[in-house]
Amino acid sequence: MDNVRVRFAPSPTGYLHIGGLRTAVYNYLYARQHNGKFLLRIEDTDRTRFVEGAIENLIRSLTWAGLEIDEGVMMENGEVVEKGDCGPYIQSKRLDIYKKYVDQLLESGHAYYCFCTKERLDNLREEQKIKGKVPRYDGLCRGVSMEEAKKRIANGEDYVVRLKLPHDRDISFEDEARGTITINSNEMDDQVLMKSDGFPTYHMAVVVDDHLMGITHIIRGEEWLPSTPKHVYLYEALGWEVPTYIHLPGVLNSDHKKLSKRQGDVSVEDFRGHGYLPEGLVNYLALVGWSPEDNQEIFSMDELIKAFDTKRIAKTGGVFDVKKLDWVNSHYMKELSADELLDMAMPYIEKAGLFTKEDVEKNPEHYRVLMETIQDGLDRLEQVPEACGFLYDDYEVTEEAALEQLKSESAPKVIEGLQEILGEMDEITLEEAGKLMKQVQKISGVKGKNLYMPARAAMTGNVHGPELSNIIYLLGKDEILKRLEKAKSYFA
């Protein structure tokens, strides 16, 4: 497939929604698979919803997710810039372009001026609802001649420009994920193309921009499916070739309703804040609404690019399952080196007040071992402080199973053996920590579970957890002796 050009075209209304990121991911995969271009366009014609700083946030989220923008709106040295031959790529800078094509549609008879007031339209909608009809414009101004319309405009009357749809005509288009879709024009509205403030509606702007920017494939959410026949008709009215459409299923919450803020986190920033890795989030999102042929679940970006197939995009919404996201992300957490994990987790660690970068510089091995010790149990970075808790929390034994171990027959022998050996040692090295329990076994005559479980319970207050030799090294001689003394108070 030659010259594939796709675009991600969000509105700057705040942070990037997780469903928006998935749309961007699918566009990006498609572009890379076909050696095409991935464009970022900003659709900001609805000025009432514009949020300051939203464009920067969008670009930062896409960059963090590893989606490289080839053309359009980008950031350079902290500034928003536009790059490419089809600009401007921000819709509010393109008003003259839209006006030119609205005028063309008016002249060719494919559009008309409408002078109906808001009151009239509201009343019409109410009447139609009462009669059980679908609320839509009744075409009153279709009969206003161009001459009369121009007079009324000259007299200062407010107006919009509407699309003049043909009567009772089937409009069909091919959707690469859903097949042929046909809607009759009688079921559609004479869409407003230009609002009274001179700004185009989404429907006008999107068709003009996609054509002039050479977009070959439109990959977007299924909420635009009902509007697509209007867009197809607009392409025809303007004498342009219709691009290929691929409509994506929604991203749903566990109740199978659209994922929304009321249910909790929905923005990329939220997930980033919880310490999900970009690789984990992108890998998981790709699987919400698309399934590979062989049920593979862990994919690098390169593997996703190779495997992605629009024919395997689901027709029904995909449920966003945080547990599954955690599982996918934990895979990428395990792939980090101890140094990478420490570096990425440092903001969470410092916020919790556990230790500082200066502490790490003084004793790098200690903190490297700490990361290796906790790494396997992590799903996301925000869990690091809690996972380090065994070192920093006040030592108490509250877990039922741990208390049982301390009341067991072997516990006094094990603790006595530990105290004896530790009493003869200086500070414990990692190598010595690895041999310590073998020495306790010799002195106490206790082995297996009867040795390890009480020892772990006495040192950590738990019966399960990371490698015991690492814990011994990390706690150090003085702290262990202190805990062993306290553990005796729990004996039966």
Side-chain angles (χ1 to χ4, degrees), residues 403-443:
L403 288 167
E404 269 177 44
Q405 285 301 327
L406 293 179
K407 289 172 183 175
S408 67
E409 201 180 315
S410 60
K413 290 182 201 161
V414 171
I415 288 174
E416 227 168 84
L418 272 165
Q419 285 178 317
E420 190 178 323
I421 293 160
L422 286 167
E424 293 165 8
M425 290 174 80
D426 293 323
E427 205 40 72
I428 311 167
T429 64
L430 195 53
E431 195 185 342
E432 286 167 340
K435 297 173 184 168
L436 185 71
M437 293 311 293
K438 279 266 185 282
Q439 292 170 278
V440 176
Q441 185 180 320
K442 261 188 198 159
I443 289 181

Side-chain angles (χ1 to χ4, degrees), residues 74-317:
M74 309 179 189
M75 294 268 281
E76 256 186 17
N77 305 320
E79 295 291 314
V80 174
V81 297
E82 295 179 57
K83 289 199 164 175
D85 302 329
C86 303
Y89 295 90
I90 296 174
Q91 285 186 336
S92 56
K93 297 180 181 179
R94 297 173 63 82
L95 300 187
D96 291 349
I97 299 171
Y98 306 129
K99 186 166 185 335
K100 174 186 161 185
Y101 291 105
V102 168
D103 289 347
Q104 186 181 316
L105 291 166
L106 285 163
E107 280 159 29
S108 65
H110 289 102
Y112 59 94
Y113 292 106
C114 172
F115 299 92
C116 292
T117 60
K118 186 180 181 301
E119 286 72 34
R120 178 180 187 271
L121 295 174
D122 288 346
N123 291 338
L124 175 67
R125 262 196 295 272
E126 278 310 307
E127 267 175 52
Q128 288 170 329
K129 274 184 191 164
I130 290 162
K131 289 177 182 168
K133 292 181 179 175
V134 176
R136 52 199 280 259
Y137 182 59
D138 60 357
L140 179 74
C141 290
R142 270 175 169 242
V144 177
S145 69
M146 189 60 86
E147 198 182 342
E148 189 195 330
K150 287 195 168 155
K151 271 186 200 159
R152 290 172 75 170
I153 291 165
N155 288 336
E157 264 191 71
D158 277 347
Y159 67 91
V160 297
V161 177
R162 287 184 183 271
L163 177 65
K164 190 185 274 186
L165 280 167
H167 182 63
D168 192 22
R169 184 179 137 192
D170 282 345
I171 297 173
S172 295
F173 65 95
E174 284 298 312
D175 186 294
E176 212 168 273
R178 294 161 190 253
T180 307
I181 293 172
T182 304
I183 299 179
N184 190 280
S185 60
N186 286 358
E187 293 172 41
M188 299 189 293
D189 214 351
D190 279 359
Q191 184 66 54
V192 173
L193 300 177
M194 185 74 86
K195 295 177 280 190
S196 55
D197 61 3
F199 273 77
T201 57
Y202 168 80
H203 307 280
M204 182 68 198
V206 77
V207 168
V208 170
D209 289 348
D210 284 339
H211 173 72
L212 295 181
M213 293 178 188
I215 301 303
T216 58
H217 294 74
I218 294 173
I219 305 170
R220 63 185 179 188
E222 64 185 359
E223 65 270 24
W224 298 113
L225 205 48
S227 305
T228 304
K230 294 175 201 175
H231 300 170
V232 169
Y233 182 70
L234 263 174
Y235 275 102
E236 185 190 308
L238 289 160
W240 296 338
E241 193 183 330
V242 178
T244 301
Y245 286 97
I246 301 162
H247 286 94
L248 309 175
V251 178
L252 310 174
N253 63 29
S254 51
D255 312 337
H256 290 256
K257 292 197 174 74
K258 194 177 172 197
L259 194 68
S260 78
K261 256 198 165 16
R262 283 189 299 281
Q263 273 87 24
D265 298 321
V266 293
S267 80
V268 176
E269 288 285 321
D270 291 334
F271 288 92
R272 192 177 172 181
H274 288 306
Y276 288 98
L277 304 181
E279 299 85 351
L281 189 58
V282 167
N283 182 160
Y284 174 67
L285 268 181
L287 301 171
V288 182
W290 167 77
S291 57
E293 266 179 49
D294 56 1
N295 294 326
Q296 183 179 337
E297 291 188 298
I298 300 297
F299 286 89
S300 67
M301 186 71 91
D302 285 344
E303 287 170 328
L304 279 173
I305 290 165
K306 283 195 190 85
F308 187 62
D309 178 358
T310 53
K311 300 281 187 291
R312 296 189 63 83
I313 290 172
K315 292 177 181 65
T316 53

